[in-house]
Amino acid sequence: QIKESATLTRDVLEQHFSDLKGTLKKLLDERLMSLLQEVDVIEQESIKPLDECQKLIEHGVSTADDLLREGESAVDGDVGTQNEKLCNFTKKALHIQLDSLPEVPSLVDVPCLSAQLDDCLLTILKNQIFRHGTVASRPPVQLEEFVEKPGGILVRWCKVDDDFIPQDYRLQYRKSTASHFEDVYVGSETEFIVLHIDPNVDYQFRVCARGDGRQEWSPWSVPQIGRTTLVPHEWTTGLEGYSLSSRRNIALRNDSQSCGVLYSKAPTYFCGQTLTFRQVLFGIETVGQPDRRDSLGVCVEQQNGYDSLQRDKAVCISTNGAVFVNGKEMTNQLPAVTSGSTVTFDMEVVQLGPCSNEGGNFKLRVTISSNNREVVFDWVLDQCCGSLYFGCSFSYPGWKVLVF
């Protein structure tokens, strides 16, 4: 691991500084071209009136030379033509102004170009470059735990650098066969349930953090493999009153007049004789009009003909917060289910009597949580249950439930 990470770090550093060199050279070249263009513009704009002035002076000098030669020719000619040439010379000389010159700007008004280059740029760049980049012997955060979920994995991570003050965490994952990681969570929590995980497939995870008040992310943690063997929870298809997502983990109560209980496709919530079992989460995304018959819960078996889970061999919570066990309402009540609510079912199995093929006394210790409040009770059954169904029922359209 040390040699592999050292080699990777060298490659990252070399590539980064190579990219910086190319970028800096490009920026310097662009700045140089910009300054040279400024010189060209100033030169062209400043030299134009001087060029015009020079042309006027040269034209006047040329005219004076021509007039001088014409006067010499008139004086040197014979007597017959001399008078005529002198007359023409005199007329031309009267019309030419030889004593006027165009206005020439004073020397202080003529631009004199120069370049001002501040040498402190090198000092600033030097200081910034010498502080750019760090090499860490270990990342400030590491992956801590993977917990299997139906069709998902609960990933937990922790801070291992006591001096590091995290502001945000960033979790990425990829299939073992994929070449690139992708972001799955950015936030301040230290755990996240990654959904849409294929069962019995390896996934690689890594996490990094951003220090308080900083923009750059820390080095990535050591990548670790996580997997789930639990098949994803799915709602059963075909019930007229509900529309399902493509993965069948989201159920939407549509505006059909048909009503009834929507059950899971299979009894995928397992209750065994281990110490603790955690049931599925019901994330309420949107809500419709509540009704006292509404229900979210678990049951021993599918029973058609009911319009609610408020019946025998089922435990559930209504959207108004009432808790029902085998069809009877408890005195304890939870907060009402509203938009954004999450309801959780946790169960611990306690066997009261011998469990055989003929059945036996069976008790589940159930904890239902909603909006940071919970109720705990014992659910006594007359048969052993290796697994349970989950279900929901809503009287009015608009409810949208994600199960995972």
Side-chain angles (χ1 to χ4, degrees), residues 143 146 153 155 172-173 181 194 203-206 222-224 226:
L143 295 168
F146 297 103
I153 300 175
V155 184
Q172 290 189 337
Y173 84 126
F181 282 91
V194 183
Y203 287 81
Q204 258 195 335
F205 295 86
R206 66 182 185 181
V222 177
Q224 295 189 39

Side-chain angles (χ1 to χ4, degrees), residues 118 126 148 158 163 166 176 178 195 207 240 273 278 328 351 382:
D118 193 347
K126 181 179 178 181
E148 291 186 60
C158 62
D163 298 328
S176 55
L195 298 177
V207 66
E240 185 179 348
Q273 296 183 0
R278 295 190 183 277
K328 296 180 180 179
Q351 186 173 331
D382 59 1

Side-chain angles (χ1 to χ4, degrees), residues 73-327:
S73 174
V75 173
D76 295 339
D78 55 35
V79 178
T81 61
Q82 191 175 32
N83 290 335
E84 185 180 352
K85 288 182 177 181
L86 286 173
C87 183
N88 292 332
F89 170 78
T90 302
K91 290 180 180 180
K92 186 178 292 187
L94 291 174
H95 287 87
I96 297 177
Q97 295 181 350
L98 298 177
D99 58 346
S100 64
L101 289 173
E103 183 180 359
V104 179
S106 62
L107 191 60
V108 295
D109 294 330
V110 177
C112 180
L113 279 73
S114 63
Q116 287 76 48
L117 301 173
D118 193 347
D119 291 338
C120 72
L121 176 62
L122 293 177
T123 304
I124 296 173
L125 287 176
K126 181 179 178 181
N127 293 334
Q128 291 293 330
I129 289 172
F130 284 160
R131 289 199 301 266
H132 181 68
T134 57
V135 176
S137 60
R138 56 176 54 87
V141 291
Q142 292 285 7
L143 295 168
E144 183 179 32
E145 184 182 16
F146 297 103
V147 181
E148 291 186 60
K149 295 290 182 179
I153 300 175
L154 172 61
V155 184
R156 292 192 176 103
W157 55 89
C158 62
K159 182 169 71 86
V160 296
D161 185 351
D162 294 336
D163 298 328
F164 184 79
I165 302 176
Q167 174 180 300
D168 291 307
Y169 297 99
R170 181 181 179 188
L171 178 67
Q172 290 189 337
Y173 84 126
R174 69 179 179 187
K175 264 188 178 181
S176 55
T177 55
S179 57
H180 298 291
F181 282 91
E182 60 180 274
D183 287 341
V184 68
Y185 173 76
V186 175
S188 59
E189 300 295 328
T190 56
E191 66 178 37
F192 183 74
I193 297 180
V194 183
L195 298 177
H196 306 156
I197 295 293
D198 295 330
N200 302 308
V201 174
D202 286 341
Y203 287 81
Q204 258 195 335
F205 295 86
R206 66 182 185 181
V207 66
C208 66
R210 181 163 49 196
D212 189 22
R214 303 185 69 89
Q215 295 297 320
E216 71 276 7
W217 292 100
S218 73
W220 290 105
S221 66
V222 177
Q224 295 189 39
I225 300 294
R227 64 158 43 199
T228 182
T229 59
L230 305 177
V231 297
H233 290 307
E234 295 182 9
W235 298 104
T236 190
T237 58
L239 190 60
E240 185 179 348
Y242 295 87
S243 304
L244 306 183
S245 64
S246 60
R247 290 182 176 269
R248 295 180 294 278
N249 61 341
I250 298 177
L252 171 65
R253 179 65 168 95
N254 56 38
D255 55 5
S256 170
Q257 296 299 317
S258 176
C259 62
V261 178
L262 176 65
Y263 292 102
S264 58
K265 179 180 178 181
T268 50
Y269 173 63
F270 294 95
C271 291
Q273 296 183 0
T274 56
L275 294 176
T276 303
F277 289 86
R278 295 190 183 277
Q279 215 255 2
V280 296
L281 297 167
F282 294 93
I284 311 303
E285 294 189 355
T286 60
V287 295
Q289 181 181 344
D291 186 275
R292 186 171 180 79
R293 295 169 298 171
D294 295 342
S295 58
L296 287 167
V298 296
C299 56
V300 174
E301 58 192 6
Q302 295 179 341
Q303 292 185 12
N304 297 323
Y306 288 91
D307 61 358
S308 175
L309 282 175
Q310 300 169 15
R311 59 169 176 79
D312 189 35
K313 296 184 179 181
V315 294
C316 66
I317 177 177
S318 176
T319 50
N320 63 6
V323 177
F324 291 84
V325 181
N326 293 331

Side-chain angles (χ1 to χ4, degrees), residues 368-382:
I368 305 179
S369 302
S370 176
N371 292 335
N372 298 320
R373 289 182 57 186
E374 64 180 31
V375 294
V376 182
F377 56 90
D378 289 339
W379 181 23
V380 180
L381 299 170
D382 59 1

